Amino acid sequence: MSFNKVGFGIIGTGAVAAAHAMAITHSEFADLVAVYDVVPERAKEFAAKYNTQAVENFDEFLKTPGLEAVTVATPSGFHHDPVCAAAKAGIHILCEKPLDITLDKIDDMIRVCEENNVLLAAIFQSRFKKAVIAIRKAIDEGRFGKLVSISAKQLWYRDEAYYKSASWRGTWAIDGGGALMNQGSHTVDQLLYLGGEVKKLSAHTANILHDIEVEDTAAASMEFVNGACGTIEVSTACQPGYPVTIEITGTKGSALIKSDTIARWQFVDERPEDEEIRKNLADGSKTSGGASSAMDFDYHGHMYHVDNLARAIRNGEPLILSGKDGRLAVEFIQAVYESSRTGMPVTLR
C-alpha cells in the first residue's frame, strides 16, 4: 500500500538533530523538507549534509511548502516557544525529551496544541528497546504477579569538556537540572512506563565532580500507586560509565534489563517462548547507549517516533507517547528536586 509521506522539518540543528535527520530520511512515511536554526550557518551546513533546505527566518520556515510536522531539537529550556509557534501555524510536533523544564510550560504547550487541533508527541526512544517491550508485555499479561520492586541505575560519565561544549549545559535556566533532567529522563520514563505512576518519593541530589550549578548525581526511593516500591540512581560522575540497568521483581517472576538486553528473565509459570526470549534478547546493540559518550546511540528509536506521528497524521493511529505522557517524567524529576531541596517526602498522587 502506498503512503503519502508527511513533510517534516527540524527546529534546531545541534548534536541530537542528527538522529532526527537520520530518522526522517530513513523513514518510509516521512520526508525532510526544511531545517531551521538560530545560527544560520550551522543550519546551512546541516541542510547540505542531509540534502534539504535551510530557512533563515523562523516564520518563513513554518510556511515552507509541504511542511506538515516538525521535530523540536533545541536545548531543553527552549522547547516551549517553537512548539507553540508551530501549533498556532497548524503544524504537528514531535518534541525531544524533556518536553520542557517546567510543568507550567509543558501544560501551556499541551493547551496550545489542543486548541489548534495539532498532535504533540514526546520523544522517549528507549521505550522501543526490545527488552523494554518484552517486559511491558509480560507486565500487561500479569506474568510478574503483583509487582514488588522496580529499580533503575544509570551510572554514566561526562567529562568537563561535555559541559563546556555549550553554555546551556548544566544550568537551571536552560538545561532545567543536571544528570536527572538531561541524561536521566529516559530512565525515569522507562521506570514510569514499567512501574506505573508514583504516589510518593523521597530524594537526595548532589554535585560530586563537575563545575556546574546543577546536580551530577541523584537518588530517590518511591512508592508506586500500585503499591510496589522503587529506587532510582542517576549520575554523570561515574568513570568510565556503565550501562543502564532496570530490575523488575514481582510475586511470580523477575527480569533485569542491562542497556538493551535481557540479563534475567525468570517466571514461576515458565512458558515455551521464555528460553527463546532469553536467547534472542541476550545480545544488544554495539553502542554504549550514551553511558560514556553523549551521542553513542543510533537513530532507530527516533524513527519509530517519526513513523508513529506520520501515521497518526495520515491514518489517525494513536500516538505512542503523547505530550501528556511526556509530562509525567518532568513531574517526577521536579518532585525529586523539591524533595532534595526541602529534605521532605513529596506526594504526587
Side-chain angles (χ1 to χ4, degrees):
M1 180 182 294
S2 62
F3 187 92
N4 181 17
K5 289 187 175 184
V6 173
F8 272 77
I10 300 174
I11 301 173
T13 57
V16 77
H20 291 231
M22 292 291 284
I24 295 166
T25 57
H26 284 79
S27 171
E28 61 181 300
F29 305 108
D31 274 329
L32 181 57
V33 299
V35 299
Y36 169 81
D37 196 285
V38 293
V39 182
E41 287 305 315
R42 183 166 65 185
K44 288 178 183 178
E45 291 177 9
F46 188 91
K49 182 176 181 180
Y50 293 102
N51 193 32
T52 190
Q53 64 176 319
V55 182
E56 291 191 18
N57 180 278
F58 184 62
D59 291 335
E60 292 303 314
F61 165 80
L62 293 177
K63 298 175 184 176
T64 300
L67 182 66
E68 300 174 81
V70 293
T71 64
V72 177
T74 55
S76 303
F78 293 151
H79 288 173
H80 172 273
D81 289 357
V83 164
C84 291
K88 291 174 182 177
I91 294 169
H92 304 283
I93 301 124
L94 176 59
C95 186
E96 258 298 340
K97 62 80 186 172
L99 273 180
D100 207 289
I101 59 175
T102 72
L103 294 178
D104 285 344
K105 283 186 175 183
I106 292 172
D107 289 340
D108 193 53
M109 290 158 63
I110 293 170
R111 177 188 62 80
V112 172
C113 288
E114 289 177 346
E115 288 179 353
N116 289 276
N117 198 32
V118 301
L119 298 172
L120 173 60
I123 291 179
F124 275 120
Q125 72 269 20
S126 293
R127 285 197 185 190
F128 300 113
K129 293 179 178 179
K130 292 179 180 179
V132 175
I133 292 170
I135 289 176
R136 177 57 190 259
K137 182 174 182 288
I139 290 173
D140 290 342
E141 292 175 348
R143 297 200 63 198
F144 287 92
K146 189 170 183 179
L147 291 177
V148 175
S149 174
I150 306 97
S151 299
K153 286 189 178 184
Q154 182 177 329
L155 305 180
W156 283 6
Y157 179 72
R158 294 290 183 269
D159 60 18
E160 205 65 38
Y162 166 81
Y163 288 104
K164 301 297 184 186
S165 66
S167 60
W168 60 270
R169 295 192 188 280
T171 64
W172 286 113
I174 304 175
D175 216 356
L180 190 62
M181 180 67 85
N182 191 313
Q183 291 78 19
S185 58
H186 285 293
T187 300
V188 169
D189 178 68
Q190 290 180 77
L191 194 76
L192 300 177
Y193 182 55
L194 298 175
E197 294 186 14
V198 168
K199 181 177 180 180
K200 182 165 60 175
L201 63 79
S202 296
H204 173 70
T205 64
N207 184 341
I208 294 173
L209 178 64
H210 298 99
D211 182 22
I212 53 177
E213 63 186 45
V214 296
E215 88 288 351
D216 64 14
T217 302
S221 61
M222 67 212 71
E223 175 190 351
F224 288 89
V225 170
N226 59 27
C229 297
T231 61
I232 186 170
E233 299 174 46
V234 174
S235 181
T236 55
C238 299
Q239 181 78 277
Y242 303 91
V244 173
T245 60
I246 301 175
E247 186 173 20
I248 301 93
T249 61
T251 56
K252 294 184 178 180
S254 67
L256 175 65
I257 298 173
K258 184 177 181 181
S259 187
D260 57 353
T261 68
I262 293 285
R264 183 170 73 248
W265 182 267
Q266 295 178 318
F267 297 95
V268 172
D269 60 331
E270 180 79 4
R271 296 180 181 178
E273 66 265 26
D274 286 339
E275 187 56 39
E276 197 68 20
I277 289 172
R278 284 188 284 264
K279 179 181 177 181
N280 291 341
L281 297 184
D283 295 319
S285 69
K286 302 304 180 184
T287 71
S288 71
S292 56
S293 175
M295 296 310 299
D296 191 20
F297 62 89
D298 65 34
Y299 64 86
H300 290 94
H302 282 76
M303 192 166 73
Y304 286 124
H305 279 298
V306 168
D307 290 352
N308 173 234
L309 179 56
R311 292 193 298 261
I313 292 168
R314 287 285 182 265
N315 305 330
E317 177 180 302
L319 290 178
I320 296 171
L321 216 156
S322 69
K324 290 180 180 178
D325 294 327
R327 183 189 190 277
L328 293 172
V330 178
E331 178 190 48
F332 177 94
I333 292 166
Q334 292 291 1
V336 168
Y337 291 157
E338 181 183 346
S339 177
S340 179
R341 183 172 59 253
T342 64
M344 300 294 291
V346 172
T347 299
L348 290 88
R349 298 287 181 271

